[in-house]
Every structure is written in structure tokens, then in C-alpha cells.
């Protein structure tokens, strides 16, 4: 296990892989691009804080949204490009592996298709807490008050509402595109089967904290969640996914509250970030936890793997960046 650490002078607010580098946004308006050797290059892209970030590893694109009302697109070999300038904070952002970009400001989601010169605005019933593209390429999903709003990528004027009363704060889709999941304010998740959302949906509860981070295993059979002192795995292999099913729980001795989870591609391993700053790998086949980074007091607020699974990147709330090579899965 090889681990490199870099400390920023500001809180880290977002992260993701872009090209052959790990990109991190901060609260002072910078984007930091860290290559796999640990060398870092920084750019000032916003007048204030970067509130959200999305990246595309294939193209090397980094997109940021700030409290200055701007959306900026950054490539390593080009000057930053402002693709949106408004008066409202950019609350959420998502990038599609197909090259699309989405962001939210106030009660509007903006969809920028790959190669398009201008974005398409879509009105939402409330402010948007989170955005995500479905892996099958059909939807841009928005977590809003009262449920999940699905925006058709092919025709953004067409939308579908998955309803459940309450505030929804995070959103994601199963790898096969059949299910949509949101995290709710009252320490629970909600799941819908998209083809039958009115009859096939359910609550996934029992968390002592908000399960804001969740990720499906590489084979799509389980969804791992944060929000507890144990790693929770919900089954998704049946026709109705976790609806009516029980979750499995796995615990590493002496660990704190789980804050973030991420899947290692083409592997049975997952990365887990904790509130005390520690990071571990969970090997589902061996059902054991392997240490990556020790606790340092700064909660892990984001982590992810490169597309080939060779590199694991993570950020702590205090501005620490970690890059690890976890070895063979």
C-alpha cells in the first residue's frame, strides 16, 4: 500500500478523477490538480468558494460551481471557460460519462449536452440538493423536496417525478438503471423501481446519521451506504431490489461513523471514509477491512477510484488530499 498526502490552505469541497490526475476543489475558489506522483497544480476559478464539482476522467474535464453564480469548465491544457454566469449560487452539479453536464441554481436545473453551445433550463418544484446521471444514459436525476425529479437526457422537456414526502438530499441510480435511490433528511434512504414507481418503492431506514453517501458494488448486486458505524449493504439482485429485503452489516473494530463510500472498478473491494479521517478498503469476498489511511481528526468528505482501479483518491474536510495505490484487488 502506497499513500501520498498533500495539505491545502482551505477546506476541500469536492473531488474526482480527471484524465491522469485527481482534482480537488476548495473553499477559496481554487481547483487543485494532483498527478499520481503527488505533484499539484492550482488554478483560481471562482471569486468565492467552490460549492460543487464534477469531473470526467475520460476527457479530463473538471467543472465547478461557485457562490459567485458561475459554472466554470477546466481542462489541463486550456484556459478555464465560464459556461454559465448568474446571480444564484450553484447548488449541485453532475457530469455524465457520455460528455453531458448538469448543474442547479435555485429552482432551475441546467442541462448542457455534449458538444452543445448553450444549456437547456428545466424548472424544478424546489431548490435542488443533488444531481446524478443514470448509468444507462436516460436520466438526469435531481433530489428535491417531495422526491426525485427525473429529466430525460434525450428531451429535457420531458420529466418524471418519483414522489415521497420530505426533503431528499442525495440521489443515485443502480448500474442497470432500474432503480433510483435518494437520501432523506430523517436518516433514511428511499428507493423506487423506475418502471413502477407508485407501487414498487420503499424506505431503507435504521441509520443513526444521514446516509448521504452510497455506491453500488461493481457487479451491481449490492449497494453500500455510509451513515452508521457499520458498513451497510442492501441487496439489489432481485426484481424489486432492496424493497422488502434486509441489509447486511459489516464492521471494522474501533472505527468511527462512516461518512463516504466508493466502489473499486472490476473488483469486490470498496473504499470507506470515516468521520475521524481514517480510510479503509472493504473486501467483500474476504469480508475484511484493510487500512489505507489513519485517523487525523478531519472527516473524510469525498473519495473515489480511477477508472482502472489503480488509484484511490480522497479528501478530508480540513483540506487534506490523499492518493493511495491499494495494490491488486
Amino acid at each position: 500500500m502506497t499513500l501520498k498526502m498533500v495539505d491545502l490552505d482551505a477546506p476541500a469541497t469536492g473531488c474526482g478523477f480527471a484524465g491522469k490526475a485527481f482534482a480537488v476543489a476548495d473553499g477559496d475558489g481554487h481547483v487543485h490538480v494532483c498527478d499520481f506522483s503527488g505533484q499539484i497544480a492550482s488554478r483560481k476559478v471562482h471569486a468565492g468558494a467552490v460549492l460543487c464539482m464534477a469531473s470526467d476522467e475520460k476527457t479530463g474535464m473538471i467543472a465547478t460551481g461557485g457562490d459567485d453564480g458561475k459554472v466554470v469548465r477546466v481542462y489541463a491544457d486550456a484556459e478555464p471557460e465560464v459556461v454559465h454566469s448568474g446571480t444564484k449560487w450553484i447548488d449541485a452539479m453532475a457530469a455524465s460519462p457520455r460528455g453531458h453536464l448538469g448543474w442547479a441554481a435555485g429552482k432551475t436545473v441546467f442541462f448542457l449536452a455534449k458538444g452543445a453551445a448553450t444549456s437547456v433550463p428545466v424548472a424544478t418544484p424546489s431548490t435542488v440538493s443533488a444531481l446524478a446521471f443514470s448509468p444507462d444514459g436516460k436520466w438526469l436525476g435531481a433530489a428535491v423536496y417531495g422526491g426525485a425529479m427525473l429529466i430525460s437526457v434525450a428531451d429535457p422537456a420531458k420529466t418524471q417525478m418519483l414522489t415521497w414526502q420530505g426533503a431528499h438530499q442525495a440521489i443515485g441510480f443502480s448500474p442497470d438503471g432500474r432503480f433510483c435511490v435518494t437520501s432523506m433528511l430523517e436518516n433514511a434512504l428511499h428507493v423506487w423501481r423506475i418502471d413502477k414507481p407508485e407501487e414498487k418503492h420503499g424506505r431503507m431506514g435504521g441509520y443513526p446519521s444521514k446516509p448521504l453517501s452510497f455506491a453500488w458494488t461493481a457487479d451491481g448486486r449490492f449497494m453500500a451506504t455510509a451513515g452508521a458505524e457499520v458498513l451497510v449493504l442492501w441487496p439489489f439482485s432481485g426484481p424489486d431490489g432492496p424493497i422488502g429485503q434486509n441489509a447486511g452489516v459489516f464492521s471494522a473494530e474501533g472505527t468511527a461513523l462512516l461518512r463516504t463510500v466508493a466502489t473499486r472498478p472490476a473488483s469486490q473491494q470498496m473504499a470507506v471514509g470515516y468521520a475521524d479521517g481514517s480510510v479503509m478498503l472493504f473486501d467483500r469476498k474476504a469480508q475484511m477491512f484493510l487500512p489505507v489511511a489513519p485517523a487525523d481528526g478531519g472527516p473524510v468528505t469525498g473519495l473515489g477510484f480511477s477508472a482502472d482501479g489503480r488509484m484511490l483518491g480522497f479528501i478530508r474536510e480540513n483540506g487534506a488530499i490523499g492518493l493511495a495505490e491499494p495494490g491488486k484487488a
Side-chain angles (χ1 to χ4, degrees), residues 268-285:
Q268 294 199 52
Q269 292 183 342
M270 307 198 77
V272 183
Y274 293 88
D276 63 3
S278 61
V279 177
M280 289 192 174
L281 279 181
F282 173 69
D283 191 298
R284 186 159 53 94
K285 184 177 181 180

Side-chain angles (χ1 to χ4, degrees), residues 182-201:
T182 62
S183 173
M184 299 195 65
L185 190 63
E186 61 267 23
N187 298 356
L189 298 157
H190 205 83
V191 59
W192 295 265
R193 210 178 92 176
I194 296 174
D195 64 339
K196 296 182 178 180
E198 294 184 1
E199 59 182 277
K200 297 292 184 178
H201 68 93

